[in-house]
Amino acid sequence: MTQRLAFGAVVLVVALAHSAAAETRSWTAIKGKLPADAMLVVGFDVNQARAASSFGKLVEAVTSESHDLGDGLALVKTTCGIDPVTAVTDVTIVMRKDEKGIVVVGMTGVDEAKLLVCANKLQAKDNPKKTITGKKVGAVTEYSVTDEKDKLYVAWLAKDVVAFSFDPDKRVVLDAAIGGKGATGDLARSLAKTSPSAFVFGAASIGKEGIAGGFGSITLAKGVLTGSMKMTAQSGELGTTLLAEITKELARDIERSTKKAPTLATVLKGIKVSGKGAEITIDAAVNEADLPGLIPALDKIF
């Protein structure tokens, strides 16, 4: 149950900006290639995040929590002249029913050639005698390092859109994840009820742990982020049980965070959970200015 609430919390924490009028690069590139067993789609429009007044502070909060991430971003910027925070425009995550998934990244000012040059500059810092090369293998590109057996597989879905799997060294996973013709069944119906042009959107067809599926999105107006997630249980009885469990766990999280992370407690208290029969709705709101402070707060509680 914690995972269900965490999904909503993570979405709220990273949501930073105004609604948009167009789909993202990554979603446009992958939506017609979704496999028949796709279970979950989550999209983030990073471009919109930059319009938010708290974006800079949020980036600082995230990188301060993960020094490796901060150091990595700085190394790429100084070595290659590419600022990943600016280059990445959007991200779409797709997960299949076997829980194997891919990350699709839309970019601006960066393409395969520039990234390969950058990768070799970084490689030269480690061992200038070795180089990274790529070759097309079916629908994907295989990258390798001189005299090394390990391979990395990515798929360039467009000049400025790249996809890689959660297991980037396994070509079969990536092939399967981009080998379809688009969402079908419950996932397609859930996607039709959400807005891929929103800053954050999600849709799922789960079919286990009592949950049939769901959808949701997040928008910002007058400095307040508003998110809504709707879940459908596999039966009315299960819906009643899930509603009780979610409500109980939310109360526990509020109690745990009241002393350790009062800002987070305030956000959690604003979450409204309701339901009838198999349908469960979770609504939440958070002030944009509070987002940077929620990063360390989440680390204390979850």
Side-chain angles (χ1 to χ4, degrees):
M1 188 57 59
T2 299
Q3 290 86 345
R4 298 188 188 104
L5 287 176
F7 171 78
V10 168
V11 169
L12 285 173
V13 169
V14 298
L16 286 172
H18 308 275
S19 59
E23 294 179 354
T24 61
R25 287 181 171 92
S26 56
W27 176 239
T28 297
I30 192 62
K31 66 179 181 179
K33 300 179 183 294
L34 296 178
D37 62 347
M39 176 182 73
L40 173 71
V41 173
V42 179
F44 306 89
D45 192 333
V46 183
N47 257 348
Q48 296 181 57
R50 297 190 189 94
S53 60
S54 60
F55 180 70
K57 291 182 179 179
L58 182 64
V59 172
E60 290 178 6
V62 172
T63 53
S64 65
E65 286 294 307
S66 174
H67 295 296
D68 288 342
L69 174 61
D71 292 344
L73 294 175
L75 181 62
V76 171
K77 188 174 182 178
T78 56
T79 303
C80 306
I82 298 173
D83 183 356
V85 176
T86 301
V88 174
T89 61
D90 52 88
V91 178
T92 299
I93 298 171
V94 179
M95 186 176 291
R96 294 160 50 209
K97 291 183 178 179
D98 59 5
E99 298 188 359
K100 296 183 183 297
I102 62 169
V103 179
V104 188
V105 181
M107 298 172 289
T108 183
V110 180
D111 57 18
E112 181 180 9
K114 288 184 179 180
L115 284 183
L116 187 56
V117 169
C118 177
N120 274 297
K121 286 182 178 180
L122 295 171
Q123 172 61 40
K125 287 180 173 293
D126 181 55
N127 186 340
K129 295 183 178 180
K130 294 187 176 185
T131 59
I132 301 172
T133 57
K135 66 177 181 179
K136 194 77 171 179
V137 183
V140 306
T141 300
E142 176 188 273
Y143 293 97
S144 60
V145 180
T146 305
D147 298 328
E148 294 189 14
K149 294 182 179 180
D150 293 339
K151 311 292 183 183
L152 174 68
Y153 297 95
V154 308
W156 287 92
L157 305 181
K159 182 180 180 180
D160 51 7
V161 179
V162 64
F164 54 91
S165 75
F166 294 172
D167 300 303
D169 59 337
K170 295 180 174 59
R171 176 189 165 191
V172 63
V173 175
L174 185 56
D175 278 336
I178 63 172
K181 297 181 179 180
T184 60
D186 290 339
L187 181 60
R189 285 186 281 273
S190 290
L191 281 168
K193 295 176 182 178
T194 188
S195 176
S197 63
F199 173 68
V200 177
F201 78 93
S205 174
I206 299 174
K208 60 181 180 180
E209 294 187 8
I211 302 175
F215 62 93
S217 62
I218 294 177
T219 58
L220 171 69
K222 297 181 180 180
V224 179
L225 287 156
T226 303
S228 180
M229 180 169 63
K230 296 183 182 295
M231 293 192 300
T232 301
Q234 292 178 306
S235 70
E237 183 178 356
L238 284 171
T240 300
T241 300
L242 285 171
L243 178 61
E245 290 180 1
I246 293 172
T247 302
K248 186 176 181 180
E249 183 125 353
L250 177 59
R252 288 176 179 172
D253 289 337
I254 291 172
E255 183 179 358
R256 290 168 57 200
S257 60
T258 297
K259 292 183 179 180
K260 295 182 178 180
T263 300
L264 177 59
T266 299
V267 173
L268 293 177
K269 289 176 182 178
I271 296 177
K272 306 299 181 184
V273 183
S274 60
K276 183 177 181 180
E279 303 297 324
I280 300 170
T281 300
I282 302 176
D283 293 309
V286 59
N287 291 321
E288 179 196 336
D290 291 336
L291 290 175
L294 289 177
I295 298 295
L298 284 171
D299 187 53
K300 290 179 182 178
I301 301 301
F302 296 103

